[in-house]
Amino acid sequence: MSDKTEKKKYETWETLIRVEHLVKAFGDNVVLNDISMEIKKGEVISIIGPSGCGKSTFIRSLNLLEVPTSGKIFFEGQDITAKGTDERAVREKIGMVFQQFNLFNNMTVKKNIMHAPVMLKLMTKTQAEEKAMSLLERVGLSDKADMYPAQLSGGQKQRVAIARSLAMDPDVMLFDEPTSALDPEMVNEVLNIMKDLANAGMTMVVVTHEMGFAKEVSSRVIFIDEGKIKEDGTPQRVFDSPRNERLRDFLRSVLK
């Protein structure tokens, strides 16, 4: 499929997130420099690039964990960078899975998943418990419901973190290097859950160094370098026919 055909296909999909001229600076250090893009409903976008290029800052900006220096981000038509935006309401619909799991160590696995829906009064405790058990079944951890995070492997913790994010019924899920803190043998158990989510139609934006996942599961791959989008296309085109010299160098280094 050509890039032109692929672009036409995506234009028929509903835009969930639109980013316009996004800039993020920390003092004099400009980490993101004039990024514009759209994320369509049902897309799985993998963001790749060298360390320190701005990937994590970009994905954290999408749900306002990082406040943009300038530019706009629209989510489901609403300018979420506008003054007075309810950031908590935004994050209810934009799920986030972090590198380091971010679970509450003093709560059981089940209560970790129940916490946000109950605290935000979106569900009763009974409803949240039913939802938590259903999600634990989905990620293959129903037998760990009453354990604490310290009793789990890294891969299990990350699967709980995914279930916790799903408990809010998000419209899109963001993953910030979800396998980078895992031992190699635990990576696939997390990637398999993510593949299942993608196959079920979940819109996903994934910062990843797992090139196999980016190539096999993504509908689009974006290469960020020096705070800019240097390449954006289908996995086949980006991996097999990279146009940007920096991308070619990057792929040579990671695909040895």
Side-chain angles (χ1 to χ4, degrees):
M1 187 181 290
S2 71
D3 272 8
K4 188 176 288 186
T5 306
E6 195 74 13
K7 185 177 180 184
K8 189 172 183 181
K9 172 187 166 187
Y10 290 140
E11 284 172 349
T12 67
W13 295 3
E14 177 187 349
T15 298
L16 279 187
I17 297 174
R18 187 169 80 253
V19 179
E20 295 182 353
H21 306 294
L22 176 65
V23 174
K24 177 62 181 179
F26 298 95
D28 294 332
N29 182 21
V30 179
V31 179
L32 300 176
N33 190 356
D34 195 27
I35 286 183
S36 297
M37 65 169 295
E38 290 190 351
I39 297 165
K40 306 286 190 180
K41 186 175 182 179
E43 281 192 290
V44 177
I45 299 177
S46 287
I47 300 176
I48 63 173
S51 296
C53 70
K55 304 185 300 295
S56 290
T57 301
F58 174 68
I59 203 170
R60 288 170 61 86
S61 297
L62 295 181
N63 69 351
L64 304 179
L65 286 174
E66 297 289 355
V67 178
T69 303
S70 63
K72 294 183 178 181
I73 300 172
F74 294 85
F75 173 59
E76 296 181 337
Q78 174 194 354
D79 179 3
I80 63 174
T81 49
K83 191 174 181 180
T85 295
D86 184 347
E87 295 177 2
R88 190 180 72 176
V90 169
R91 291 180 194 135
E92 287 178 18
K93 289 299 180 183
I94 304 180
M96 183 88 180
V97 177
F98 301 88
Q99 294 180 35
Q100 298 293 342
F101 325 128
N102 288 20
L103 299 176
F104 297 110
N105 290 322
N106 63 335
M107 293 183 186
T108 64
V109 164
K110 181 170 62 178
K111 288 186 177 177
N112 262 279
I113 298 170
M114 293 170 58
H115 178 71
V118 172
M119 183 185 70
L120 297 172
K121 296 183 169 56
L122 300 175
M123 299 179 194
T124 66
K125 283 187 178 180
T126 300
Q127 290 170 332
E129 184 170 10
E130 289 176 0
K131 179 87 168 181
M133 292 308 301
S134 173
L135 289 168
L136 285 171
E137 183 75 31
R138 184 173 180 180
V139 300
L141 292 173
S142 55
D143 60 329
K144 309 294 184 187
D146 296 318
M147 289 188 175
Y148 287 84
Q151 298 172 285
L152 304 180
S153 69
Q156 290 169 339
K157 289 178 186 176
Q158 196 59 291
R159 284 150 65 193
V160 172
I162 292 171
R164 181 182 60 181
S165 184
L166 289 170
M168 299 297 291
D169 290 322
D171 292 337
V172 57
M173 286 186 66
L174 312 178
F175 294 82
D176 186 10
E177 294 275 17
T179 61
S180 66
L182 302 181
D183 292 333
E185 66 268 21
M186 297 176 186
V187 168
N188 281 338
E189 64 185 68
V190 173
L191 292 181
N192 287 337
I193 296 296
M194 294 170 65
K195 289 175 186 177
D196 289 344
L197 289 175
N199 290 335
M202 174 62 73
T203 308
M204 298 163 60
V205 185
V206 185
V207 172
T208 186
H209 60 276
E210 299 290 343
M211 295 300 119
F213 176 90
K215 192 168 187 177
E216 296 164 22
V217 182
S218 307
S219 47
R220 276 167 67 197
V221 176
I222 292 174
F223 174 66
I224 293 181
D225 185 46
E226 298 176 331
K228 292 177 177 286
I229 293 178
K230 298 290 182 72
E231 199 133 354
D232 180 351
T234 63
Q236 182 178 7
R237 216 270 300 143
V238 168
F239 282 98
D240 296 348
S241 306
R243 297 167 182 167
N244 181 273
E245 182 62 33
R246 286 287 293 125
L247 174 57
R248 289 195 286 271
D249 290 344
F250 173 76
L251 291 177
R252 277 194 291 268
S253 70
V254 297
L255 296 176
K256 288 178 181 176

